Amino acid sequence: MDRVALRGLKARGHHGVFPREREEGQTFIVDLVLGLDTRPAAAADDLTKTVHYGIVAEEVVDVVQGEPVDLIETLAERIAQKCLKHEGVEEVEVVVHKPDAPITVPFDDVTITITRSRV
């Protein structure tokens, strides 16, 4: 399976379990790896035979900016399901970064990584 990767998609969302997270919001960063067969697109040099990663990026940002959820696990699942709706995408790995998580000790990042497939 071939891979198309999008790294560092940024959007402001209001996800989290604490009132401050819901009220003020924070930046979330999303990395995606889409698994698909790119041979038909390459052979025909035809965008319609592959995934349009620009559209995927916009949809992912819409999910992050959309309806708040408590957990980044839920956010990652919603993103994965949105990606799998694209014809040809057989598998997706989603990493959601929450670099401003409300943690009281020094840290660099909090992430969740999930892999989902059509099977």
Side-chain angles (χ1 to χ4, degrees):
M1 195 173 311
D2 303 320
R3 304 275 183 240
V4 174
L6 290 90
R7 307 259 186 233
L9 296 170
K10 293 180 185 175
R12 191 158 187 84
H14 293 266
H15 311 288
V17 295
F18 297 113
R20 191 175 119 230
E21 293 178 290
R22 292 294 183 107
E23 293 165 12
E24 297 175 16
Q26 59 193 292
T27 298
F28 292 84
I29 302 166
V30 178
D31 302 324
L32 300 173
V33 179
L34 307 170
L36 64 153
D37 183 357
T38 63
R39 289 176 291 192
D45 197 28
D46 186 348
L47 177 61
T48 65
K49 297 184 183 299
T50 188
V51 64
H52 191 309
Y53 51 79
I55 291 173
V56 172
E58 291 171 359
E59 291 175 351
V60 168
V61 166
D62 287 346
V63 171
V64 174
Q65 293 175 338
E67 181 184 347
V69 296
D70 288 344
L71 303 177
I72 59 174
E73 291 87 343
T74 306
L75 182 60
E77 185 66 35
R78 287 184 176 181
I79 291 168
Q81 294 309 314
K82 180 67 78 172
C83 292
L84 289 171
K85 288 184 179 179
H86 286 267
E87 187 176 337
V89 175
E90 295 296 324
E91 182 178 273
V92 62
E93 178 183 276
V94 177
V95 181
V96 175
H97 301 257
K98 190 174 178 180
D100 299 320
I103 297 175
T104 60
V105 297
F107 74 102
D108 289 328
D109 199 5
V110 173
T111 66
I112 177 75
T113 302
I114 67 170
T115 302
R116 299 292 183 266
S117 64
R118 289 184 184 271
V119 178

Short mmCIF file of all heavy atoms in Angstrom, two decimals, residues 1 3 6 8 10 24 27 29 31 35 43 47-48 50 54 57 63 72 78 80 82-83 85 93 104 106 114:
data_model
loop_
_atom_site.label_atom_id
_atom_site.label_comp_id
_atom_site.label_asym_id
_atom_site.label_seq_id
_atom_site.Cartn_x
_atom_site.Cartn_y
_atom_site.Cartn_z
N MET A 1 0.85 -1.17 0.00
CA MET A 1 0.00 0.00 0.00
C MET A 1 0.90 1.24 0.00
O MET A 1 1.89 1.31 0.71
CB MET A 1 -0.91 -0.02 1.23
CG MET A 1 -2.05 0.94 1.11
SD MET A 1 -3.28 0.84 2.43
CE MET A 1 -3.64 -0.88 2.52
N ARG A 3 1.52 5.41 0.56
CA ARG A 3 1.20 6.32 1.66
C ARG A 3 1.26 7.76 1.18
O ARG A 3 2.21 8.16 0.52
CB ARG A 3 2.21 6.16 2.79
CG ARG A 3 2.33 4.75 3.33
CD ARG A 3 1.28 4.51 4.38
NE ARG A 3 1.41 3.20 4.96
CZ ARG A 3 0.46 2.29 4.92
NH1 ARG A 3 -0.66 2.53 4.32
NH2 ARG A 3 0.61 1.12 5.48
N LEU A 6 0.23 13.91 5.42
CA LEU A 6 0.03 15.33 5.70
C LEU A 6 0.51 15.54 7.13
O LEU A 6 0.04 14.85 8.05
CB LEU A 6 -1.44 15.72 5.60
CG LEU A 6 -2.06 15.74 4.21
CD1 LEU A 6 -2.63 14.39 3.87
CD2 LEU A 6 -3.11 16.81 4.14
N GLY A 8 1.42 18.28 10.34
CA GLY A 8 1.36 19.60 10.94
C GLY A 8 0.14 20.43 10.60
O GLY A 8 0.21 21.66 10.62
N LYS A 10 -2.81 22.49 11.45
CA LYS A 10 -3.10 23.22 12.69
C LYS A 10 -4.48 23.84 12.64
O LYS A 10 -4.88 24.40 11.62
CB LYS A 10 -2.07 24.33 12.91
CG LYS A 10 -0.69 23.82 13.18
CD LYS A 10 0.28 24.95 13.40
CE LYS A 10 1.69 24.38 13.54
NZ LYS A 10 2.69 25.42 13.64
N GLU A 24 -11.88 28.77 26.20
CA GLU A 24 -10.79 29.48 25.53
C GLU A 24 -10.31 28.78 24.26
O GLU A 24 -9.81 29.43 23.35
CB GLU A 24 -9.61 29.67 26.49
CG GLU A 24 -9.94 30.54 27.68
CD GLU A 24 -8.80 30.62 28.67
OE1 GLU A 24 -7.65 30.27 28.32
OE2 GLU A 24 -9.06 31.04 29.81
N THR A 27 -4.76 25.26 20.37
CA THR A 27 -4.31 24.75 19.08
C THR A 27 -4.11 23.24 19.15
O THR A 27 -3.50 22.73 20.10
CB THR A 27 -2.99 25.42 18.67
OG1 THR A 27 -3.23 26.83 18.54
CG2 THR A 27 -2.48 24.87 17.34
N ILE A 29 -2.74 20.00 16.60
CA ILE A 29 -1.96 19.72 15.40
C ILE A 29 -2.23 18.27 15.02
O ILE A 29 -2.23 17.38 15.88
CB ILE A 29 -0.45 19.94 15.66
CG1 ILE A 29 -0.22 21.38 16.11
CG2 ILE A 29 0.36 19.62 14.40
CD1 ILE A 29 1.14 21.63 16.71
N ASP A 31 -1.38 15.04 12.30
CA ASP A 31 -0.59 14.38 11.26
C ASP A 31 -1.41 13.22 10.74
O ASP A 31 -2.04 12.49 11.52
CB ASP A 31 0.73 13.84 11.83
CG ASP A 31 1.60 14.91 12.47
OD1 ASP A 31 1.62 16.04 11.95
OD2 ASP A 31 2.25 14.59 13.47
N GLY A 35 -3.35 5.47 3.57
CA GLY A 35 -2.91 4.30 2.81
C GLY A 35 -3.83 4.06 1.63
O GLY A 35 -5.05 3.93 1.81
N ALA A 43 -0.39 6.19 -13.32
CA ALA A 43 -0.43 5.71 -14.71
C ALA A 43 -1.19 6.68 -15.61
O ALA A 43 -0.80 6.91 -16.76
CB ALA A 43 -1.07 4.33 -14.77
N LEU A 47 -5.71 13.25 -11.10
CA LEU A 47 -6.05 13.53 -9.70
C LEU A 47 -7.30 12.79 -9.24
O LEU A 47 -7.39 12.39 -8.08
CB LEU A 47 -6.24 15.04 -9.49
CG LEU A 47 -6.67 15.51 -8.12
CD1 LEU A 47 -5.63 15.13 -7.06
CD2 LEU A 47 -6.92 17.00 -8.12
N THR A 48 -8.23 12.55 -10.15
CA THR A 48 -9.47 11.89 -9.75
C THR A 48 -9.27 10.42 -9.39
O THR A 48 -10.17 9.79 -8.85
CB THR A 48 -10.55 11.98 -10.85
OG1 THR A 48 -10.11 11.25 -12.00
CG2 THR A 48 -10.83 13.43 -11.21
N THR A 50 -6.89 9.39 -7.29
CA THR A 50 -6.17 9.34 -6.02
C THR A 50 -6.94 10.19 -5.01
O THR A 50 -8.01 10.71 -5.32
CB THR A 50 -4.71 9.83 -6.17
OG1 THR A 50 -4.00 9.59 -4.95
CG2 THR A 50 -4.63 11.30 -6.53
N GLY A 54 -5.63 18.15 -0.48
CA GLY A 54 -6.07 19.50 -0.11
C GLY A 54 -7.46 19.48 0.50
O GLY A 54 -7.73 20.15 1.50
N ALA A 57 -7.26 17.86 3.97
CA ALA A 57 -6.75 18.82 4.95
C ALA A 57 -7.85 19.76 5.42
O ALA A 57 -7.99 20.01 6.63
CB ALA A 57 -5.59 19.62 4.35
N VAL A 63 -13.15 19.35 11.25
CA VAL A 63 -13.44 18.47 12.39
C VAL A 63 -12.85 19.07 13.67
O VAL A 63 -13.52 19.13 14.70
CB VAL A 63 -12.91 17.04 12.16
CG1 VAL A 63 -13.02 16.21 13.42
CG2 VAL A 63 -13.65 16.37 11.01
N ILE A 72 -9.13 13.62 23.25
CA ILE A 72 -8.45 13.64 21.95
C ILE A 72 -8.59 12.28 21.26
O ILE A 72 -8.49 12.20 20.05
CB ILE A 72 -6.98 14.10 22.05
CG1 ILE A 72 -6.14 13.21 22.96
CG2 ILE A 72 -6.91 15.56 22.45
CD1 ILE A 72 -4.65 13.55 22.96
N ARG A 78 -12.90 10.65 15.02
CA ARG A 78 -13.72 11.41 14.07
C ARG A 78 -12.91 11.77 12.83
O ARG A 78 -13.42 11.71 11.71
CB ARG A 78 -14.27 12.68 14.73
CG ARG A 78 -15.36 12.39 15.72
CD ARG A 78 -15.94 13.65 16.28
NE ARG A 78 -17.06 13.35 17.17
CZ ARG A 78 -17.78 14.25 17.80
NH1 ARG A 78 -17.50 15.53 17.65
NH2 ARG A 78 -18.76 13.88 18.59
N ALA A 80 -10.30 10.12 11.66
CA ALA A 80 -10.06 8.88 10.92
C ALA A 80 -11.28 8.50 10.08
O ALA A 80 -11.15 8.14 8.90
CB ALA A 80 -9.70 7.74 11.87
N LYS A 82 -13.60 10.42 8.91
CA LYS A 82 -13.73 11.38 7.81
C LYS A 82 -12.78 11.01 6.67
O LYS A 82 -13.15 11.04 5.50
CB LYS A 82 -13.44 12.79 8.33
CG LYS A 82 -13.55 13.88 7.29
CD LYS A 82 -14.95 14.10 6.78
CE LYS A 82 -15.79 14.88 7.74
NZ LYS A 82 -17.09 15.27 7.16
N CYS A 83 -11.56 10.64 7.00
CA CYS A 83 -10.57 10.27 5.98
C CYS A 83 -10.98 9.01 5.22
O CYS A 83 -10.80 8.92 4.00
CB CYS A 83 -9.20 10.07 6.61
SG CYS A 83 -8.46 11.60 7.24
N LYS A 85 -13.81 8.03 4.43
CA LYS A 85 -14.93 8.25 3.52
C LYS A 85 -14.45 8.55 2.10
O LYS A 85 -15.23 8.49 1.16
CB LYS A 85 -15.82 9.38 4.03
CG LYS A 85 -16.63 8.98 5.24
CD LYS A 85 -17.58 10.07 5.67
CE LYS A 85 -18.38 9.60 6.88
NZ LYS A 85 -19.29 10.62 7.36
N GLU A 93 -3.62 6.54 9.41
CA GLU A 93 -3.03 6.73 10.73
C GLU A 93 -3.22 8.20 11.08
O GLU A 93 -2.90 9.08 10.27
CB GLU A 93 -1.54 6.40 10.72
CG GLU A 93 -0.88 6.64 12.08
CD GLU A 93 0.60 6.39 12.06
OE1 GLU A 93 1.01 5.23 12.21
OE2 GLU A 93 1.35 7.38 11.88
N THR A 104 0.42 20.17 34.75
CA THR A 104 1.09 21.08 35.69
C THR A 104 2.61 20.94 35.74
O THR A 104 3.26 21.66 36.49
CB THR A 104 0.53 20.88 37.11
OG1 THR A 104 0.76 19.53 37.52
CG2 THR A 104 -0.96 21.20 37.16
N PRO A 106 6.42 20.50 33.39
CA PRO A 106 6.94 20.78 32.05
C PRO A 106 6.79 19.57 31.13
O PRO A 106 7.04 18.42 31.53
CB PRO A 106 8.42 21.08 32.31
CG PRO A 106 8.49 21.50 33.74
CD PRO A 106 7.43 20.70 34.44
N ILE A 114 -3.76 6.73 16.33
CA ILE A 114 -4.66 5.61 16.03
C ILE A 114 -4.47 5.22 14.57
O ILE A 114 -4.11 6.04 13.73
CB ILE A 114 -6.14 5.93 16.33
CG1 ILE A 114 -6.68 7.01 15.39
CG2 ILE A 114 -6.33 6.31 17.79
CD1 ILE A 114 -8.20 7.19 15.47
#
